[in-house]
Amino acid sequence: MKKLLIANILLMASLLYVVFRVTHKTLYLYKLSVNAENPVSIHWNSITIDTGFIQDKFGHSMPGSIYFIWMTPIYIFVLVAIILTLLAFKKKK
């Protein structure tokens, strides 16, 4: 039972770590010794990465250069992990 609890805590901690790492406003590029604007943004339903491959004449990124990662699978996995944890601790009658 302790292993199940620890596994779920590690799952939640790893998700929090990823969110923490990709939400910085600037990123330090150590090979160039410069701080750059972070192209990653997190919304409640997606993570977007502005690749900057397609730009308009003013140098702004166009919608076609933004890569989306949908958060729905992560929400489902976390919900299943929480349910399994609660079921593991439910006392049998």
Side-chain angles (χ1 to χ4, degrees):
M1 192 102 58
K2 285 184 179 181
K3 291 179 185 178
L4 181 63
L5 179 63
I6 291 171
N8 284 304
I9 290 172
L10 289 174
L11 171 70
M12 300 297 179
S14 64
L15 290 173
L16 289 174
Y17 174 76
V18 169
V19 168
F20 175 74
R21 294 296 296 171
V22 298
T23 56
H24 289 285
K25 293 281 186 199
T26 59
L27 301 174
Y28 180 70
L29 305 174
Y30 64 93
K31 291 202 176 202
L32 301 173
S33 297
V34 67
N35 285 321
E37 187 176 327
N38 190 351
V40 178
S41 63
I42 294 183
H43 307 283
W44 73 272
N45 63 342
S46 67
I47 297 174
T48 58
I49 302 170
D50 185 359
T51 62
F53 285 126
I54 303 172
Q55 296 183 350
D56 62 8
K57 62 182 178 182
F58 301 111
H60 299 105
S61 293
M62 299 292 287
S65 69
I66 296 176
Y67 181 74
F68 288 95
I69 301 170
W70 299 109
M71 297 294 289
T72 306
I74 293 174
Y75 294 146
I76 292 170
F77 292 154
V78 169
L79 182 63
V80 169
I82 291 170
I83 290 171
L84 289 175
T85 302
L86 294 175
L87 289 175
F89 291 113
K90 182 180 177 182
K91 297 194 181 211
K92 295 185 180 193
K93 293 181 181 182

